[in-house]
Amino acid sequence: MNQDQLKKRIDVSTKRIPADVVVKNGKIIDVFNLEILEADIAIVDGYIAGIGEYEGHETIDAAGKYVSPAFIDGHVHIESSMVTPAEFSKVLLAHGVTTVITDPHEIGNVSGATGISFMLDQSEGLPLDVRVMLPSSVPATPFENAGATLKAADLEPFYKHPRVLGLAEVMDFPAVFKGDNDMLSKIVSAANNKGRIDGHAAGLDANGINVYRSSLITTDHECTTAEEALDRIRRGMYVLIREGSVAKNLKALIKAVTPNNARRFLFCTDDKHLDDLVVEGSVDHNVRLAIKEGLSPLQSIQLATLNAAECYGLDKKGAISPGCIADFILLDELEAVSISEVFVGGKSVAKDGTFTGEEVNTEKPPAPLMQSVNLPEIGSEKLAIPISDGDSIHVIEVIPNQLVTKKKVLRAKAENGLFTPSISDDLLKMAVIERHKQTGNIGLGVVKGLLIKNGAIASTVAHDSHNLVVAGTNDEDMLLAIDAIQKMQGGYVIVKDGKVLASVPLPISGLMSDQPFTKVNEEIIYLKAKLNEIGFTGDFDPFLTLSFLTLPVIPEMKLTDLGLFDFKTFQHISVKVE
């Protein structure tokens, strides 16, 4: 802002000159007092200059609709939508979300600093305000192989970028607890650059939260119970209530929200697939669900707006207030959170669920991002798990719609000294194949609860190192799925009886498509429709579930390219129980 702009804003506020735009006949949601105001909103140069009685060069007739601050997603990985930031922007704006706090952790693990730069460049100039937290854990742990390593010195230059806010989810708790030099240097660097520091406190008790707060970490989005949430609030953290495609924690956590502590809660989606975003929405879905669970509509909106803005120091966001950016939405109904129109800086960008803003031209991804799947020759011998019939083995058991899994010990079937998948027992073979540097690493395991009765599924979306993950009922289909992924340079695939039934190519770092979101959404819908042909009958997304079975920082047992990983002991274990 310069002095002339400030003077103009004051002149509008004092009514010496008319506003650029005035919103009339609206019911303004006051997120400070949790009340409704009936007044005009004066807007100049994209900022709110006053609330009261105003005239302007242009009038927006709210026609009795509710005027709410636009929503903010407190923590999201854009890569999980499988589309570029520009396409992601179109989807979110249609759902009333005008600001996101994103962590390019996924592409960082594949493509390092080049990937982070790509996400910053691709989100420049969008009507969606994309604020970035720098990945803290690349690789996420030393128990897997990622495509890159990012030290504090690699992250340091990014703090100069005006849209970088701080350090993203610190998920390597043992490194923090032990005072690991690399991790502490990242935290200190963020603090010295006046950045926020996000947490990832999955499974941590109150003592663990003490360690995190002592380390300047201020948020957590990994709570699964109300008591966990309260432990974090009592120690001064913000709790992000997550409702994504797999991790659906809102119903459990909303019970912890009271009038006394509500200002320490906000909403996030974390990881949400494109088809879910199109149908359900982003944090607008969180707001609707919170209201359904008994939180008042105004309090729910406060969590999605003012609380998120204050948590991340966005002092010109999150409210209908003089001095704030004029990002707002018109709601036909309050409790239903039915969005009629969305405005960014006082200009309409979406109406009746459709993006109506201007297209932003973006450059093509750098060549290395389009060539990220590098596999060695793989035959059936590489997928063999040696056991005897009836041996006890460690099994990863899926918990539908949760990131956490169960560690099970079960009897297994074998033929010729090798594990044999069992449809009747719902035991499938699973492999994680290092795909970045052709190390030849292949982690093998057994998964229960994926509910596939034939064929195989595979993906390069495998949190957090994003190696190739495949699960199936037979080696032949698993190998074909691996080959199909290699040819697409990343994505999703379903295989049955030696034939590819459906696929979604994701050639940008094996995580995102370079196509319009409408086309990608059609591909996803077709892919999921083909799941019934391999006998899938679950009420969860098997691809999204599979992608988190490789995340070793989440309890209880996972699989990385180095083998089965026991979260409790924080070490790799053998498939066969010794």
Side-chain angles (χ1 to χ4, degrees):
M1 176 193 290
N2 59 41
Q3 189 168 327
D4 289 340
Q5 290 171 321
L6 178 59
K7 184 178 186 306
K8 182 180 178 183
R9 193 180 302 178
I10 293 171
D11 285 344
V12 169
S13 182
T14 59
K15 306 178 185 179
R16 286 193 287 265
I17 62 174
D20 295 340
V21 179
V22 174
V23 182
K24 288 182 173 291
N25 305 316
K27 300 173 183 177
I28 301 169
I29 295 175
D30 175 3
V31 290
F32 300 107
N33 294 298
L34 300 185
E35 62 183 17
I36 304 294
L37 305 176
E38 294 192 13
D40 301 335
I41 304 170
I43 300 170
V44 59
D45 294 333
Y47 283 78
I48 297 172
I51 296 174
E53 293 185 9
Y54 286 91
E55 298 300 325
H57 297 295
E58 179 185 344
T59 298
I60 297 172
D61 184 2
K65 295 179 175 68
Y66 293 91
V67 185
S68 169
F71 299 141
I72 300 171
D73 189 334
H75 175 73
V76 62
H77 303 284
I78 293 176
E79 304 97 308
S80 291
S81 72
M82 296 171 280
V83 292
T84 60
E87 293 299 308
F88 179 76
S89 172
K90 297 174 186 177
V91 180
L92 260 66
L93 289 168
H95 286 279
V97 179
T98 63
T99 303
V100 297
I101 315 300
T102 190
D103 169 13
H105 172 89
E106 317 304 342
I107 199 169
N109 266 281
V110 177
S111 304
T114 302
I116 298 173
S117 294
F118 169 75
M119 297 301 281
L120 283 166
D121 293 343
Q122 290 282 310
S123 57
E124 190 67 40
L126 298 178
L128 179 73
D129 188 1
V130 178
R131 303 300 180 105
V132 174
M133 301 288 280
L134 299 176
S136 68
S137 303
V138 177
T141 71
F143 307 109
E144 56 186 334
N145 287 284
T149 299
L150 293 175
K151 302 287 189 179
D154 301 311
L155 300 177
E156 184 72 28
F158 288 106
Y159 285 112
K160 297 177 183 178
H161 195 287
R163 287 189 284 112
V164 169
L165 298 181
L167 189 67
E169 49 183 323
V170 177
M171 59 180 62
D172 192 351
F173 173 74
V176 178
F177 186 81
K178 296 174 184 176
D180 175 81
N181 286 332
D182 283 344
M183 181 55 70
L184 296 191
S185 64
K186 291 176 184 177
I187 292 173
V188 169
S189 175
N192 288 342
N193 283 284
K194 299 181 180 179
R196 268 72 178 166
I197 304 173
D198 279 339
H200 183 286
L204 295 191
D205 59 13
N207 289 329
I209 300 304
N210 288 337
V211 175
Y212 258 22
R213 285 295 293 126
S214 297
S215 306
L216 307 178
I217 293 168
T218 57
T219 73
D220 182 37
H221 61 274
E222 291 291 340
C223 298
T224 59
T225 69
E227 188 55 38
E228 283 184 338
L230 292 175
D231 275 342
R232 287 144 179 77
I233 297 296
R234 291 179 184 120
R235 286 158 181 78
M237 297 184 86
Y238 280 93
V239 169
L240 282 67
I241 299 177
R242 172 176 58 190
E243 192 74 7
S245 286
V246 166
K248 300 177 185 294
N249 307 124
L250 189 146
K251 288 185 178 182
L253 299 185
I254 207 71
K255 299 171 185 175
V257 181
T258 71
N260 293 332
N261 65 18
R263 295 304 310 283
R264 305 299 289 188
F265 288 91
L266 55 148
F267 292 129
C268 77
T269 58
D270 196 4
D271 294 283
K272 199 159 188 178
H273 270 195
L274 178 63
D275 53 332
D276 289 334
L277 286 169
V278 170
V279 174
E280 282 186 349
S282 173
V283 295
D284 57 314
H285 174 65
N286 297 43
V287 175
R288 280 188 286 271
L289 189 56
I291 294 169
K292 184 178 179 181
E293 291 297 309
L295 198 64
S296 75
L298 297 186
Q299 190 100 75
S300 299
I301 289 172
Q302 184 188 62
L303 266 64
T305 57
L306 182 63
N307 290 10
E310 289 186 345
C311 177
Y312 288 98
L314 305 177
D315 58 354
K316 297 178 179 63
K317 299 269 186 176
I320 305 296
S321 166
C324 282
I325 298 171
D327 290 355
F328 61 93
I329 53 183
L330 300 183
L331 302 176
D332 289 319
E333 296 179 18
L334 186 57
E335 291 202 4
V337 195
S338 49
I339 299 170
S340 171
E341 196 164 4
V342 183
F343 295 81
V344 171
K347 296 180 180 180
S348 178
V349 295
K351 193 169 185 178
D352 298 327
T354 301
F355 174 73
T356 57
E358 296 181 4
E359 294 279 346
V360 176
N361 294 323
T362 55
E363 296 182 4
K364 291 184 178 181
L369 269 63
M370 304 295 285
Q371 301 163 358
S372 67
V373 180
N374 303 290
L375 303 178
E377 290 291 326
I378 299 174
S380 58
E381 73 282 357
K382 297 290 188 179
L383 302 181
I385 301 176
I387 65 167
S388 298
D389 193 49
D391 276 352
S392 294
I393 63 170
H394 292 116
V395 174
I396 303 171
E397 183 173 32
V398 169
I399 302 175
N401 298 312
Q402 294 293 335
L403 301 188
V404 297
T405 61
K406 292 181 181 178
K407 175 186 175 183
K408 291 286 189 177
V409 174
L410 301 172
R411 299 283 184 182
K413 296 176 182 179
E415 292 181 6
N416 301 318
L418 300 176
F419 167 76
T420 302
S422 171
I423 304 304
S424 60
D425 297 326
D426 191 23
L427 296 179
L428 303 183
K429 184 183 290 186
M430 179 178 164
V432 175
I433 304 164
E434 194 280 326
R435 59 110 165 174
H436 307 291
K437 300 173 182 176
Q438 287 192 329
T439 62
N441 292 341
I442 300 179
L444 299 172
V446 178
V447 59
K448 179 179 178 63
L450 209 51
L451 303 181
I452 292 171
K453 296 178 175 60
N454 204 336
I457 62 174
S459 171
T460 45
V461 178
H463 302 279
D464 275 319
S465 291
H466 297 291
N467 289 305
L468 192 156
V469 58
V470 58
T473 63
N474 65 86
D475 289 353
E476 292 75 16
D477 283 342
M478 291 175 70
L479 289 170
L480 178 57
I482 293 167
D483 183 62
I485 290 286
Q486 169 90 36
K487 289 176 179 176
M488 292 191 300
Q489 278 299 295
Y492 295 96
V493 67
I494 300 174
V495 170
K496 179 186 176 185
D497 297 333
K499 179 183 177 182
V500 174
L501 299 183
S503 63
V504 179
L506 302 175
I508 302 177
S509 297
L511 300 172
M512 293 179 288
S513 173
D514 55 356
Q515 299 299 308
F517 84 85
T518 50
K519 181 179 180 181
V520 180
N521 192 45
E522 290 173 357
E523 292 173 342
I524 295 169
I525 292 171
Y526 183 77
L527 180 86
K528 290 187 175 181
K530 287 294 183 179
L531 285 170
N532 67 334
E533 294 192 24
I534 57 173
F536 177 74
T537 57
D539 60 353
F540 59 92
D541 184 335
F543 280 102
L544 203 49
T545 299
L546 186 67
S547 74
F548 283 102
L549 296 183
T550 62
L551 185 56
V553 294
I554 300 287
E556 289 181 337
M557 192 164 69
K558 300 295 168 72
L559 181 66
T560 77
D561 67 306
L562 299 180
L564 276 179
F565 187 80
D566 187 328
F567 177 86
K568 185 175 182 180
T569 61
F570 238 63
Q571 64 183 7
H572 285 97
I573 58 176
S574 62
V575 175
K576 182 179 177 180
V577 178
E578 303 295 341

